PDB file of all heavy atoms in Angstrom:
ATOM      1  N   ARG A 328      58.334  96.051 124.081  1.00 98.00           N
ATOM      2  CA  ARG A 328      57.537  96.074 122.848  1.00 98.00           C
ATOM      3  C   ARG A 328      57.316  94.682 122.276  1.00 98.00           C
ATOM      4  O   ARG A 328      56.270  94.373 121.719  1.00 98.00           O
ATOM      5  CB  ARG A 328      58.232  96.968 121.805  1.00 98.00           C
ATOM      6  CG  ARG A 328      58.176  98.429 122.154  1.00 98.00           C
ATOM      7  CD  ARG A 328      56.747  98.903 122.198  1.00 98.00           C
ATOM      8  NE  ARG A 328      56.643 100.322 122.448  1.00 98.00           N
ATOM      9  CZ  ARG A 328      55.510 101.002 122.358  1.00 98.00           C
ATOM     10  NH1 ARG A 328      54.387 100.387 122.039  1.00 98.00           N
ATOM     11  NH2 ARG A 328      55.480 102.281 122.609  1.00 98.00           N
ATOM     12  N   ASN A 332      53.592  93.939 121.961  1.00 98.00           N
ATOM     13  CA  ASN A 332      53.038  94.030 120.605  1.00 98.00           C
ATOM     14  C   ASN A 332      53.227  92.781 119.754  1.00 98.00           C
ATOM     15  O   ASN A 332      52.268  92.248 119.210  1.00 98.00           O
ATOM     16  CB  ASN A 332      53.672  95.216 119.859  1.00 98.00           C
ATOM     17  CG  ASN A 332      53.217  96.546 120.429  1.00 98.00           C
ATOM     18  OD1 ASN A 332      52.134  96.637 121.018  1.00 98.00           O
ATOM     19  ND2 ASN A 332      54.029  97.574 120.277  1.00 98.00           N
ATOM     20  N   LEU A 333      54.478  92.334 119.613  1.00 98.00           N
ATOM     21  CA  LEU A 333      54.720  91.238 118.691  1.00 98.00           C
ATOM     22  C   LEU A 333      54.083  89.945 119.184  1.00 98.00           C
ATOM     23  O   LEU A 333      53.656  89.103 118.393  1.00 98.00           O
ATOM     24  CB  LEU A 333      56.226  91.053 118.419  1.00 98.00           C
ATOM     25  CG  LEU A 333      56.781  92.102 117.447  1.00 98.00           C
ATOM     26  CD1 LEU A 333      57.112  93.397 118.143  1.00 98.00           C
ATOM     27  CD2 LEU A 333      57.982  91.591 116.689  1.00 98.00           C
ATOM     28  N   VAL A 334      54.009  89.801 120.520  1.00 98.00           N
ATOM     29  CA  VAL A 334      53.321  88.634 121.095  1.00 98.00           C
ATOM     30  C   VAL A 334      51.897  89.018 121.505  1.00 98.00           C
ATOM     31  O   VAL A 334      50.926  88.417 121.049  1.00 98.00           O
ATOM     32  CB  VAL A 334      54.102  88.079 122.308  1.00 98.00           C
ATOM     33  CG1 VAL A 334      53.362  86.893 122.917  1.00 98.00           C
ATOM     34  CG2 VAL A 334      55.517  87.672 121.904  1.00 98.00           C
ATOM     35  N   ARG A 336      49.796  91.471 120.943  1.00 98.00           N
ATOM     36  CA  ARG A 336      48.795  91.948 119.983  1.00 98.00           C
ATOM     37  C   ARG A 336      48.775  91.081 118.725  1.00 98.00           C
ATOM     38  O   ARG A 336      48.402  91.536 117.652  1.00 98.00           O
ATOM     39  CB  ARG A 336      49.058  93.410 119.595  1.00 98.00           C
ATOM     40  CG  ARG A 336      48.777  94.413 120.705  1.00 98.00           C
ATOM     41  CD  ARG A 336      49.021  95.843 120.205  1.00 98.00           C
ATOM     42  NE  ARG A 336      49.407  96.727 121.284  1.00 98.00           N
ATOM     43  CZ  ARG A 336      48.565  97.539 121.936  1.00 98.00           C
ATOM     44  NH1 ARG A 336      47.311  97.598 121.598  1.00 98.00           N
ATOM     45  NH2 ARG A 336      49.006  98.302 122.916  1.00 98.00           N
ATOM     46  N   SER A 337      49.206  89.835 118.865  1.00 98.00           N
ATOM     47  CA  SER A 337      49.290  88.956 117.675  1.00 98.00           C
ATOM     48  C   SER A 337      48.084  88.030 117.600  1.00 98.00           C
ATOM     49  O   SER A 337      47.426  87.758 118.607  1.00 98.00           O
ATOM     50  CB  SER A 337      50.569  88.111 117.744  1.00 98.00           C
ATOM     51  OG  SER A 337      50.449  87.093 118.731  1.00 98.00           O
ATOM     52  N   ASN A 369      44.426  96.555 117.407  1.00 97.00           N
ATOM     53  CA  ASN A 369      45.459  96.938 116.442  1.00 97.00           C
ATOM     54  C   ASN A 369      44.998  98.083 115.541  1.00 97.00           C
ATOM     55  O   ASN A 369      45.454  98.221 114.408  1.00 97.00           O
ATOM     56  CB  ASN A 369      45.870  95.724 115.600  1.00 97.00           C
ATOM     57  CG  ASN A 369      46.686  94.726 116.406  1.00 97.00           C
ATOM     58  OD1 ASN A 369      47.766  95.050 116.893  1.00 97.00           O
ATOM     59  ND2 ASN A 369      46.162  93.526 116.586  1.00 97.00           N
ATOM     60  N   GLU A 382      50.996 101.127 116.793  1.00 95.00           N
ATOM     61  CA  GLU A 382      52.299 100.617 116.366  1.00 95.00           C
ATOM     62  C   GLU A 382      52.845 101.295 115.103  1.00 95.00           C
ATOM     63  O   GLU A 382      54.047 101.459 114.964  1.00 95.00           O
ATOM     64  CB  GLU A 382      52.185  99.117 116.046  1.00 95.00           C
ATOM     65  CG  GLU A 382      52.383  98.191 117.197  1.00 95.00           C
ATOM     66  CD  GLU A 382      52.432  96.756 116.717  1.00 95.00           C
ATOM     67  OE1 GLU A 382      51.376  96.229 116.312  1.00 95.00           O
ATOM     68  OE2 GLU A 382      53.515  96.165 116.731  1.00 95.00           O
ATOM     69  N   ASN A 454      61.532  99.655 119.150  1.00 98.00           N
ATOM     70  CA  ASN A 454      60.599  99.031 118.208  1.00 98.00           C
ATOM     71  C   ASN A 454      61.336  98.329 117.080  1.00 98.00           C
ATOM     72  O   ASN A 454      60.995  97.206 116.693  1.00 98.00           O
ATOM     73  CB  ASN A 454      59.659 100.093 117.621  1.00 98.00           C
ATOM     74  CG  ASN A 454      58.572 100.491 118.605  1.00 98.00           C
ATOM     75  OD1 ASN A 454      58.113  99.667 119.394  1.00 98.00           O
ATOM     76  ND2 ASN A 454      58.172 101.739 118.575  1.00 98.00           N
ATOM     77  N   SER A 457      62.945  95.226 118.398  1.00 98.00           N
ATOM     78  CA  SER A 457      62.016  94.174 118.829  1.00 98.00           C
ATOM     79  C   SER A 457      61.781  93.186 117.686  1.00 98.00           C
ATOM     80  O   SER A 457      61.803  91.970 117.895  1.00 98.00           O
ATOM     81  CB  SER A 457      60.690  94.781 119.307  1.00 98.00           C
ATOM     82  OG  SER A 457      59.950  95.331 118.235  1.00 98.00           O
ATOM     83  N   ALA A 458      61.585  93.710 116.480  1.00 98.00           N
ATOM     84  CA  ALA A 458      61.337  92.826 115.334  1.00 98.00           C
ATOM     85  C   ALA A 458      62.617  92.106 114.906  1.00 98.00           C
ATOM     86  O   ALA A 458      62.583  90.949 114.483  1.00 98.00           O
ATOM     87  CB  ALA A 458      60.771  93.632 114.166  1.00 98.00           C
ATOM     88  N   PHE A 461      63.009  89.318 117.420  1.00 98.00           N
ATOM     89  CA  PHE A 461      61.931  88.330 117.286  1.00 98.00           C
ATOM     90  C   PHE A 461      62.151  87.475 116.038  1.00 98.00           C
ATOM     91  O   PHE A 461      62.006  86.246 116.065  1.00 98.00           O
ATOM     92  CB  PHE A 461      60.577  89.046 117.213  1.00 98.00           C
ATOM     93  CG  PHE A 461      59.393  88.133 117.375  1.00 98.00           C
ATOM     94  CD1 PHE A 461      59.187  87.426 118.555  1.00 98.00           C
ATOM     95  CD2 PHE A 461      58.453  87.988 116.359  1.00 98.00           C
ATOM     96  CE1 PHE A 461      58.086  86.592 118.722  1.00 98.00           C
ATOM     97  CE2 PHE A 461      57.349  87.150 116.508  1.00 98.00           C
ATOM     98  CZ  PHE A 461      57.167  86.450 117.699  1.00 98.00           C
ATOM     99  N   GLU A 462      62.532  88.123 114.941  1.00 98.00           N
ATOM    100  CA  GLU A 462      62.783  87.392 113.692  1.00 98.00           C
ATOM    101  C   GLU A 462      63.900  86.373 113.894  1.00 98.00           C
ATOM    102  O   GLU A 462      63.839  85.247 113.390  1.00 98.00           O
ATOM    103  CB  GLU A 462      63.145  88.388 112.581  1.00 98.00           C
ATOM    104  CG  GLU A 462      63.006  87.814 111.190  1.00 98.00           C
ATOM    105  CD  GLU A 462      63.219  88.861 110.104  1.00 98.00           C
ATOM    106  OE1 GLU A 462      64.374  89.094 109.710  1.00 98.00           O
ATOM    107  OE2 GLU A 462      62.224  89.462 109.655  1.00 98.00           O
ATOM    108  N   GLU A 515      64.922  96.555 108.340  1.00 98.00           N
ATOM    109  CA  GLU A 515      64.210  95.610 107.462  1.00 98.00           C
ATOM    110  C   GLU A 515      63.239  94.674 108.193  1.00 98.00           C
ATOM    111  O   GLU A 515      62.086  94.560 107.792  1.00 98.00           O
ATOM    112  CB  GLU A 515      65.190  94.798 106.607  1.00 98.00           C
ATOM    113  CG  GLU A 515      66.133  95.645 105.734  1.00 98.00           C
ATOM    114  CD  GLU A 515      65.405  96.676 104.883  1.00 98.00           C
ATOM    115  OE1 GLU A 515      64.268  96.402 104.457  1.00 98.00           O
ATOM    116  OE2 GLU A 515      65.969  97.776 104.665  1.00 98.00           O
ATOM    117  N   PRO A 516      63.690  93.979 109.264  1.00 98.00           N
ATOM    118  CA  PRO A 516      62.740  93.070 109.930  1.00 98.00           C
ATOM    119  C   PRO A 516      61.510  93.807 110.468  1.00 98.00           C
ATOM    120  O   PRO A 516      60.401  93.280 110.419  1.00 98.00           O
ATOM    121  CB  PRO A 516      63.564  92.473 111.080  1.00 98.00           C
ATOM    122  CG  PRO A 516      64.978  92.634 110.663  1.00 98.00           C
ATOM    123  CD  PRO A 516      65.029  93.900 109.867  1.00 98.00           C
ATOM    124  N   TYR A 517      61.725  95.024 110.960  1.00 98.00           N
ATOM    125  CA  TYR A 517      60.610  95.775 111.524  1.00 98.00           C
ATOM    126  C   TYR A 517      59.607  96.169 110.432  1.00 98.00           C
ATOM    127  O   TYR A 517      58.393  96.038 110.611  1.00 98.00           O
ATOM    128  CB  TYR A 517      61.140  97.021 112.246  1.00 98.00           C
ATOM    129  CG  TYR A 517      60.074  97.802 112.969  1.00 98.00           C
ATOM    130  CD1 TYR A 517      59.292  97.196 113.946  1.00 98.00           C
ATOM    131  CD2 TYR A 517      59.840  99.140 112.671  1.00 98.00           C
ATOM    132  CE1 TYR A 517      58.299  97.906 114.606  1.00 98.00           C
ATOM    133  CE2 TYR A 517      58.859  99.858 113.331  1.00 98.00           C
ATOM    134  CZ  TYR A 517      58.091  99.238 114.297  1.00 98.00           C
ATOM    135  OH  TYR A 517      57.113  99.943 114.940  1.00 98.00           O
ATOM    136  N   ILE A 518      60.127  96.625 109.297  1.00 97.00           N
ATOM    137  CA  ILE A 518      59.240  96.982 108.181  1.00 97.00           C
ATOM    138  C   ILE A 518      58.505  95.742 107.665  1.00 97.00           C
ATOM    139  O   ILE A 518      57.316  95.779 107.365  1.00 97.00           O
ATOM    140  CB  ILE A 518      60.057  97.666 107.050  1.00 97.00           C
ATOM    141  CG1 ILE A 518      60.565  99.037 107.544  1.00 97.00           C
ATOM    142  CG2 ILE A 518      59.239  97.812 105.784  1.00 97.00           C
ATOM    143  CD1 ILE A 518      59.469 100.048 107.860  1.00 97.00           C
ATOM    144  N   ARG A 519      59.241  94.614 107.584  1.00 97.00           N
ATOM    145  CA  ARG A 519      58.596  93.352 107.163  1.00 97.00           C
ATOM    146  C   ARG A 519      57.456  92.999 108.109  1.00 97.00           C
ATOM    147  O   ARG A 519      56.375  92.618 107.686  1.00 97.00           O
ATOM    148  CB  ARG A 519      59.621  92.202 107.198  1.00 97.00           C
ATOM    149  CG  ARG A 519      60.304  91.922 105.883  1.00 97.00           C
ATOM    150  CD  ARG A 519      60.970  90.546 105.885  1.00 97.00           C
ATOM    151  NE  ARG A 519      62.109  90.442 106.783  1.00 97.00           N
ATOM    152  CZ  ARG A 519      63.343  90.856 106.482  1.00 97.00           C
ATOM    153  NH1 ARG A 519      63.601  91.401 105.297  1.00 97.00           N
ATOM    154  NH2 ARG A 519      64.324  90.717 107.344  1.00 97.00           N
ATOM    155  N   TYR A 520      57.732  93.149 109.408  1.00 98.00           N
ATOM    156  CA  TYR A 520      56.715  92.832 110.418  1.00 98.00           C
ATOM    157  C   TYR A 520      55.480  93.715 110.241  1.00 98.00           C
ATOM    158  O   TYR A 520      54.342  93.227 110.197  1.00 98.00           O
ATOM    159  CB  TYR A 520      57.317  93.003 111.824  1.00 98.00           C
ATOM    160  CG  TYR A 520      56.311  93.193 112.920  1.00 98.00           C
ATOM    161  CD1 TYR A 520      55.506  92.130 113.351  1.00 98.00           C
ATOM    162  CD2 TYR A 520      56.136  94.440 113.530  1.00 98.00           C
ATOM    163  CE1 TYR A 520      54.560  92.309 114.351  1.00 98.00           C
ATOM    164  CE2 TYR A 520      55.191  94.625 114.532  1.00 98.00           C
ATOM    165  CZ  TYR A 520      54.403  93.563 114.939  1.00 98.00           C
ATOM    166  OH  TYR A 520      53.468  93.744 115.925  1.00 98.00           O
ATOM    167  N   LEU A 521      55.693  95.034 110.114  1.00 97.00           N
ATOM    168  CA  LEU A 521      54.548  95.945 109.985  1.00 97.00           C
ATOM    169  C   LEU A 521      53.770  95.686 108.699  1.00 97.00           C
ATOM    170  O   LEU A 521      52.545  95.668 108.701  1.00 97.00           O
ATOM    171  CB  LEU A 521      55.022  97.404 110.016  1.00 97.00           C
ATOM    172  CG  LEU A 521      55.520  97.957 111.359  1.00 97.00           C
ATOM    173  CD1 LEU A 521      55.962  99.405 111.206  1.00 97.00           C
ATOM    174  CD2 LEU A 521      54.441  97.859 112.443  1.00 97.00           C
ATOM    175  N   ARG A 522      54.501  95.477 107.598  1.00 97.00           N
ATOM    176  CA  ARG A 522      53.812  95.267 106.315  1.00 97.00           C
ATOM    177  C   ARG A 522      53.002  93.974 106.332  1.00 97.00           C
ATOM    178  O   ARG A 522      51.902  93.908 105.785  1.00 97.00           O
ATOM    179  CB  ARG A 522      54.817  95.251 105.162  1.00 97.00           C
ATOM    180  CG  ARG A 522      55.330  96.632 104.797  1.00 97.00           C
ATOM    181  CD  ARG A 522      56.068  96.615 103.450  1.00 97.00           C
ATOM    182  NE  ARG A 522      56.752  97.874 103.206  1.00 97.00           N
ATOM    183  CZ  ARG A 522      56.152  98.989 102.789  1.00 97.00           C
ATOM    184  NH1 ARG A 522      54.849  98.999 102.546  1.00 97.00           N
ATOM    185  NH2 ARG A 522      56.849 100.092 102.601  1.00 97.00           N
ATOM    186  N   THR A 523      53.549  92.928 106.949  1.00 97.00           N
ATOM    187  CA  THR A 523      52.826  91.662 106.999  1.00 97.00           C
ATOM    188  C   THR A 523      51.584  91.792 107.870  1.00 97.00           C
ATOM    189  O   THR A 523      50.477  91.444 107.460  1.00 97.00           O
ATOM    190  CB  THR A 523      53.739  90.546 107.576  1.00 97.00           C
ATOM    191  OG1 THR A 523      54.941  90.524 106.810  1.00 97.00           O
ATOM    192  CG2 THR A 523      53.061  89.191 107.510  1.00 97.00           C
ATOM    193  N   LYS A 524      51.781  92.329 109.066  1.00 97.00           N
ATOM    194  CA  LYS A 524      50.664  92.415 110.012  1.00 97.00           C
ATOM    195  C   LYS A 524      49.571  93.367 109.527  1.00 97.00           C
ATOM    196  O   LYS A 524      48.398  93.014 109.519  1.00 97.00           O
ATOM    197  CB  LYS A 524      51.189  92.864 111.379  1.00 97.00           C
ATOM    198  CG  LYS A 524      50.096  93.052 112.413  1.00 97.00           C
ATOM    199  CD  LYS A 524      50.689  93.259 113.797  1.00 97.00           C
ATOM    200  CE  LYS A 524      49.567  93.469 114.807  1.00 97.00           C
ATOM    201  NZ  LYS A 524      50.125  93.642 116.170  1.00 97.00           N
ATOM    202  N   TYR A 525      49.970  94.590 109.133  1.00 96.00           N
ATOM    203  CA  TYR A 525      48.978  95.588 108.767  1.00 96.00           C
ATOM    204  C   TYR A 525      48.535  95.462 107.319  1.00 96.00           C
ATOM    205  O   TYR A 525      47.477  95.971 106.952  1.00 96.00           O
ATOM    206  CB  TYR A 525      49.469  96.996 109.135  1.00 96.00           C
ATOM    207  CG  TYR A 525      49.512  97.123 110.634  1.00 96.00           C
ATOM    208  CD1 TYR A 525      50.687  96.857 111.342  1.00 96.00           C
ATOM    209  CD2 TYR A 525      48.354  97.395 111.358  1.00 96.00           C
ATOM    210  CE1 TYR A 525      50.707  96.899 112.731  1.00 96.00           C
ATOM    211  CE2 TYR A 525      48.368  97.435 112.738  1.00 96.00           C
ATOM    212  CZ  TYR A 525      49.557  97.189 113.421  1.00 96.00           C
ATOM    213  OH  TYR A 525      49.562  97.200 114.791  1.00 96.00           O
ATOM    214  N   GLY A 526      49.321  94.759 106.506  1.00 96.00           N
ATOM    215  CA  GLY A 526      48.910  94.455 105.138  1.00 96.00           C
ATOM    216  C   GLY A 526      47.704  93.546 105.124  1.00 96.00           C
ATOM    217  O   GLY A 526      46.897  93.561 104.199  1.00 96.00           O
TER     218      GLY A 526
END
Side-chain angles (χ1 to χ4, degrees):
R328 289 298 184 171
N332 290 334
L333 283 82
V334 179
R336 289 182 208 263
S337 73
N369 288 298
E382 272 188 289
N454 283 327
S457 70
F461 193 63
E462 198 174 86
E515 303 308 327
Y517 185 57
I518 292 296
R519 266 197 292 278
Y520 159 72
L521 289 179
R522 285 193 190 282
T523 306
K524 177 170 179 179
Y525 292 93

